[in-house]
Amino acid sequence: MAWLLVVVAGFLETGFAVCLKLSHGFTRLWPTVAFASFALGSFGLLTLALKKLDVGPAYAVWTGIGAAGTAIYGMVFLDDVVSTLKIISITLVIIGVIGLQLSGSAR
């Protein structure tokens, strides 16, 4: 269950990163409200998960999901540059996230 919280928190991190861009420096109300909601949800779920998980693997998985998710979202929906190296790098991040998740120990 704790790993599920980390995964959901990672997806919420993607949401807060995207909303941070869409807020244009916190000058747009609804993207700013969404950013705050996603950020609070993400940090809240990560906090709950860390009661059961080691901090290193959990934090790495959380940031990896957020980084890969944000990069993919940007390429698909925000016209970010798509390149072979970027896709390979995102794939390596995802492989690393899976490896860290499998190595994480629950107490």
Side-chain angles (χ1 to χ4, degrees):
M1 181 63 173
W3 278 115
L4 178 61
L5 294 177
V6 172
V7 170
V8 173
F11 286 118
L12 292 175
E13 183 186 4
T14 296
F16 83 66
V18 170
C19 288
L20 187 61
K21 176 176 178 58
L22 298 176
S23 76
H24 290 261
F26 300 124
T27 61
R28 294 184 176 168
L29 177 63
W30 293 115
T32 300
V33 169
F35 160 79
S37 299
F38 283 128
L40 286 172
S42 182
F43 286 115
L45 292 178
L46 181 62
T47 300
L48 292 174
L50 289 176
K51 291 180 179 182
K52 301 278 185 185
L53 300 173
D54 292 336
V55 69
Y59 184 76
V61 169
W62 177 70
T63 58
I65 291 170
T70 303
I72 291 167
Y73 188 94
M75 288 187 293
V76 173
F77 297 106
L78 301 176
D79 295 324
D80 287 359
V81 174
V82 178
S83 70
T84 302
L85 181 58
K86 190 181 279 189
I87 292 169
I88 291 169
S89 298
I90 292 168
T91 302
L92 290 172
V93 168
I94 293 169
I95 290 168
V97 164
I98 292 168
L100 284 166
Q101 193 275 344
L102 293 175
S103 75
S105 61
R107 284 182 245 170

